[in-house]
Amino acid sequence: MSLLCPNKYTYSWTLFSHFLNQIKTLFFFFAAAGASAAFHDYDHIPLTELSHVVINYVQDSLDCCHSSQLNWEQLAHLHGWNFGMINKIKLKWQKRVIESPFLELIQNSHEFQNYTYGQLKEDLEKIPRKDILEKLRDYEEKGKLLVG
């Protein structure tokens, strides 16, 4: 059989080979996409492991005192804090005993010891603080949630 003279088997093999290449391309595309998604799953990361820039942004946004419904107080309320517990932190902040109510929550309160980035995003949806969520998504897309 000559290679210069194509027959029905050569044509079938060419189509089959092309089909296999298409499948390989799709397989590697989805495998890479899956690996990429797994690599960028930030939701289970403890909040205290995020970059200083991200924590400072959230802190500045939630420590504001012009609206008690949209700040750290509402976040604490979502986690079962009553008036007395919230007021204790508020008084410490007013007396400059603590640097930040938000930092006090995530660093020193039992309810927030295992608080994750995913939980923060869920809570920001509930408060609602979509402005903070948008900025966090921007940090995610730019790969700036973590140091390094």
Side-chain angles (χ1 to χ4, degrees):
M1 180 183 313
S2 169
L3 291 176
L4 296 175
C5 182
N7 60 35
K8 64 180 179 178
Y9 299 111
T10 306
Y11 182 72
S12 296
W13 177 251
T14 304
L15 281 176
F16 183 71
S17 177
H18 179 70
F19 176 73
L20 282 179
N21 284 334
Q22 293 279 348
I23 289 176
K24 281 196 297 188
T25 302
L26 286 172
F27 174 79
F28 288 118
F29 172 78
F30 285 114
S36 175
F39 180 76
H40 295 295
D41 181 22
Y42 298 115
D43 286 351
H44 301 293
I45 296 174
L47 202 61
T48 54
E49 291 184 19
L50 297 179
S51 78
H52 187 68
V53 172
V54 173
I55 293 295
N56 276 346
Y57 172 74
V58 176
Q59 171 193 344
D60 289 345
S61 300
L62 291 177
D63 279 355
C64 66
C65 55
H66 68 276
S67 173
S68 64
Q69 293 183 350
L70 303 177
N71 66 13
W72 69 271
E73 293 177 47
Q74 186 63 25
L75 189 66
H77 179 76
L78 284 174
H79 288 268
W81 282 45
N82 61 32
F83 173 80
M85 297 165 77
I86 291 172
N87 201 45
K88 186 176 179 181
I89 295 223
K90 198 187 294 188
L91 290 174
K92 282 183 179 180
W93 190 35
Q94 289 171 349
K95 293 178 181 180
R96 307 276 185 230
V97 175
I98 59 172
E99 174 188 355
S100 156
F102 175 71
L103 291 180
E104 184 71 10
L105 286 178
I106 65 170
Q107 292 174 336
N108 299 321
S109 70
H110 175 71
E111 294 83 3
F112 288 87
Q113 286 302 303
N114 298 314
Y115 198 57
T116 65
Y117 177 65
Q119 289 172 306
L120 174 66
K121 291 192 308 184
E122 289 174 11
D123 289 347
L124 291 172
E125 282 281 342
K126 294 173 188 172
I127 291 179
R129 285 301 300 266
K130 305 232 188 286
D131 58 320
I132 301 174
L133 281 169
E134 287 176 21
K135 184 69 171 176
L136 291 176
R137 285 187 191 107
D138 187 46
Y139 283 127
E140 276 185 51
E141 289 171 6
K142 292 178 180 176
K144 294 185 177 183
L145 279 180
L146 304 172
V147 176

